[in-house]
């Protein structure tokens, strides 16, 4: 058995379909995802340059100017970089797009911008935050002047008390869903390894399979050695992808890494079993079978949100049963439950359905391969 597995391992790694599609292609695609939008959130919140024009000389009483200085000096979020200017100079800089906006200080602070976008929205949000706080303080002063000191203290601590979190209390990159769908696709791409396994077991398709079928080795041993090696190779492929995403591209996997392993293992088995099943079914040519497994894997990946992030939510809204039988959607959902949702019940449900699909495909694949008989070779 070990002797068979050794040569199966060598044979698989000499096959370009085994090396490129299940291993190299997901790494390339993951890199392209990262270059395209993996750091989009960081890019969106670069420091915004803004001019400050003091319409009235209020000195230390200019509360809005003091507020802006605190925002600029914040260690957690360096949102703005401000520079005091005269009105004419500030307008010239705004027209030349050297700054994104102009703050006018005084009794009634206001903002002037020259367009719409993320940077302008940030400046507007800062002004609204100040005006809302000012209105709150004035209301407290009018109705409960004895609570002014406490109210001011609470507002100063507000920024430290609030932070953006996702469901379950784990922060996540909004584009991480594409990478979870990518992992799902990588698992299903084990179908290329499974197809190669099926072709090596059918004497009517390849010369190697014909030679193997006339050996005295029991067919069950041939099937088991091929299956074990194929599952092992693909599990290593996907683990390489995970390590690359986590430690090289620095993607956030906030859940326990070990919890991801059962999902990846079952996903790899499903991918390889799918390839064996399609490769063993019918008398179609190898090219047509490659097209079939590629079409199945890409349709499943599309449903999991690989090409359109909202696709899985659309399917969940209008036809949720498809998400329950789509292995790519189940793998992606299980990864979400670990890293985002913190939902062990949903994670267990996804893993259970994946296991049922895995057993079904394994059984069907074994029966398809085992029943082949030949009158002559």
């Amino acid at each position: 058995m070990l002797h068979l597995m050794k040569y199966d391992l060598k044979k698989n790694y000499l096959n370009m379909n085994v090396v490129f599609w299940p291993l190299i292609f997901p790494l390339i695609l993951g890199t392209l995802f990262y270059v395209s939008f993996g750091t989009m959130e960081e890019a969106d919140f670069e420091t915004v340059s803004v001019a400050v024009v003091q319409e009235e000389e209020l000195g230390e009483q200019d509360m809005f100017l003091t507020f802006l200085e605190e925002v600029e000096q914040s260690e957690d979020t360096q949102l703005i970089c401000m520079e005091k200017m005269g009105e004419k100079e500030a307008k010239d800089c705004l027209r030349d797009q050297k700054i994104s906006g102009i703050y006018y200080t005084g009794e009634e602070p206001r903002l002037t911008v020259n367009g719409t976008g993320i940077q302008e929205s940030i400046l507007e949000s800062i002004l609204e935050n100040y005006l809302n706080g000012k209105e709150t303080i004035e209301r407290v002063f009018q109705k409960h002047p004895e609570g002014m000191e406490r109210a001011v203290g609470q507002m100063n601590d507000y920024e430290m008390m609030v932070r953006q979190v996702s469901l379950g209390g784990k922060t996540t990159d909004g584009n991480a869903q594409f990478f979870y769908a990518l992992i799902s696709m990588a698992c299903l791409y084990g179908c290329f390894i499974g197809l190669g396994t099926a072709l090596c077991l059918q004497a009517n398709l390849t010369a190697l399979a014909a030679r193997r079928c006339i050996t005295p080795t029991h067919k069950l041993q041939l099937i088991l050695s091929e299956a074990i090696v194929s599952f092992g190779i693909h599990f290593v492929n996907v683990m390489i992808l995970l390590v690359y995403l986590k430690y090289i591209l620095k993607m956030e996997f906030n859940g326990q890494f070990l919890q991801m392993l059962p999902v990846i293992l079952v996903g790899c088995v499903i991918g390889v079993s799918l390839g064996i099943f399609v490769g063993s079914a019918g008398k179609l040519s190898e090219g047509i079978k490659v097209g079939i497994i590629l079409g199945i894997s890409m349709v499943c990946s599309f449903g999991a949100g690989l090409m359109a992030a909202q696709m899985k939510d659309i399917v969940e809204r209008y036809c949720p049963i498809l998400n329950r039988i789509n292995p790519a959607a189940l793998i992606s959902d299980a990864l979400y439950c670990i890293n985002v949702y913190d939902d062990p019940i949903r994670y267990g449900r996804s893993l259970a359905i994946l296991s049922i699909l895995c057993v079904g495909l394994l059984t069907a694949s074994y029966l398809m391969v085992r029943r082949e008989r030949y009158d002559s070779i």
Side-chain angles (χ1 to χ4, degrees):
M1 188 72 167
L2 292 178
H3 180 73
L4 290 173
M5 292 173 63
K6 180 181 73 172
Y7 284 101
D8 287 338
L9 186 63
K10 291 181 179 180
K11 170 181 62 66
N12 275 288
Y13 273 114
L14 291 176
N15 186 345
M16 189 59 184
N17 285 334
V18 172
V19 176
F20 181 77
W21 291 110
L23 175 60
I24 299 177
F25 181 71
L27 293 175
I28 295 174
L29 195 58
T31 304
L32 293 176
F33 278 3
Y34 179 78
V35 172
S36 299
F37 47 72
T39 57
M40 187 178 294
E41 291 194 353
E42 297 175 6
D44 287 344
F45 293 97
E46 293 179 352
T47 302
V48 182
S49 298
V50 61
V52 176
V53 176
Q54 291 181 277
E55 292 186 313
E56 303 175 24
E57 290 295 337
L58 300 178
E60 295 182 357
Q61 300 300 318
D62 195 334
M63 300 300 295
F64 183 55
L65 180 60
T66 303
F67 174 79
L68 291 177
E69 290 173 348
E70 291 177 354
V71 173
E72 182 183 32
Q73 297 169 6
S74 174
E75 296 180 359
D76 297 329
T77 55
Q78 297 179 349
L79 286 178
I80 63 172
C81 176
M82 67 176 191
E83 183 179 353
K84 296 179 182 179
M85 299 181 184
E87 185 174 8
K88 184 178 184 305
E89 182 185 1
K91 289 183 176 180
D92 291 340
C93 290
L94 182 62
R95 184 179 60 251
D96 296 337
Q97 298 183 348
K98 294 180 180 179
I99 58 176
S100 299
I102 304 172
Y103 281 128
Y104 293 90
T105 68
E107 291 294 334
E108 296 294 334
R110 67 184 195 277
L111 170 67
T112 298
V113 295
N114 198 24
T116 58
I118 293 176
Q119 294 180 332
E120 289 79 7
S121 297
I122 291 174
L123 296 179
E124 184 178 358
S125 297
I126 292 174
L127 177 60
E128 289 179 354
N129 188 31
Y130 170 78
L131 294 176
N132 291 336
K134 179 182 177 183
E135 182 181 356
T136 301
I137 291 296
E138 290 175 350
R139 189 180 302 117
V140 171
F141 179 74
Q142 292 174 1
K143 296 184 177 181
H144 303 283
E146 71 281 0
M148 276 293 298
E149 183 177 352
R150 182 180 176 185
V152 172
Q154 288 181 345
M155 292 190 66
N156 288 336
D157 293 338
Y158 176 77
E159 184 177 352
M160 298 300 297
M161 293 169 61
V162 178
R163 58 192 179 93
Q164 184 178 358
V165 298
S166 65
L167 296 177
K170 297 178 180 179
T171 58
T172 182
D173 181 358
N175 296 307
Q177 56 194 337
F178 291 104
F179 293 91
Y180 296 138
L182 172 65
I183 295 171
S184 303
M185 184 206 73
C187 290
L188 294 186
Y189 266 20
C191 60
F192 291 98
I193 301 176
L195 178 63
T197 296
L199 296 178
C200 290
L201 293 172
Q202 293 183 284
N204 61 316
L205 296 179
T206 63
L208 175 60
R211 292 195 297 270
R212 298 182 72 184
C213 285
I214 62 175
T215 63
T217 306
H218 197 281
K219 194 167 186 179
L220 181 60
Q221 284 189 324
L222 294 175
I223 295 173
L224 285 177
S225 66
E226 283 280 357
I228 292 172
V229 169
S230 298
F231 297 149
I233 288 174
H234 193 45
F235 183 72
V236 172
N237 289 343
V238 181
M239 287 305 301
I240 291 174
L241 175 64
L242 280 180
V243 170
Y244 178 72
L245 294 177
K246 182 175 178 64
Y247 296 105
I248 305 299
L249 299 186
K250 305 297 183 182
M251 297 304 301
E252 289 186 355
F253 294 127
N254 295 307
Q256 295 184 11
F257 198 72
L258 292 178
Q259 285 185 299
M260 299 173 67
L261 298 186
V263 180
I264 299 304
L265 178 61
V266 176
C268 290
V269 173
I270 288 177
V272 174
S273 300
L274 175 64
I276 296 175
F277 178 78
V278 174
S280 304
K283 306 299 181 182
L284 301 175
S285 65
E286 180 180 352
I288 294 178
K289 291 181 178 180
V290 169
I292 292 173
I293 61 175
L294 183 60
I296 293 173
S297 59
M298 293 314 298
V299 168
C300 291
S301 299
F302 175 73
L306 182 64
M307 296 82 168
Q310 69 275 16
M311 183 52 61
K312 191 170 71 169
D313 293 332
I314 293 174
V315 175
E316 185 69 27
R317 186 180 303 119
Y318 296 105
C319 191
I321 187 63
L322 292 180
N323 279 342
R324 305 297 177 268
I325 60 176
N326 179 358
L330 290 168
I331 294 169
S332 175
D333 198 53
L335 295 177
Y336 261 90
C337 292
I338 297 170
N339 296 293
V340 182
Y341 297 145
D342 196 18
D343 188 346
I345 297 177
R346 188 168 180 173
Y347 168 78
R349 185 191 69 186
S350 297
L351 190 58
I353 298 174
L354 280 170
S355 300
I356 293 172
L357 292 176
C358 181
V359 171
L361 271 175
L362 275 176
T363 304
S365 301
Y366 172 72
L367 294 176
M368 292 291 293
V369 173
R370 182 175 177 271
R371 74 179 185 178
E372 294 291 340
R373 296 291 185 272
Y374 305 97
D375 293 330
S376 63
I377 297 178

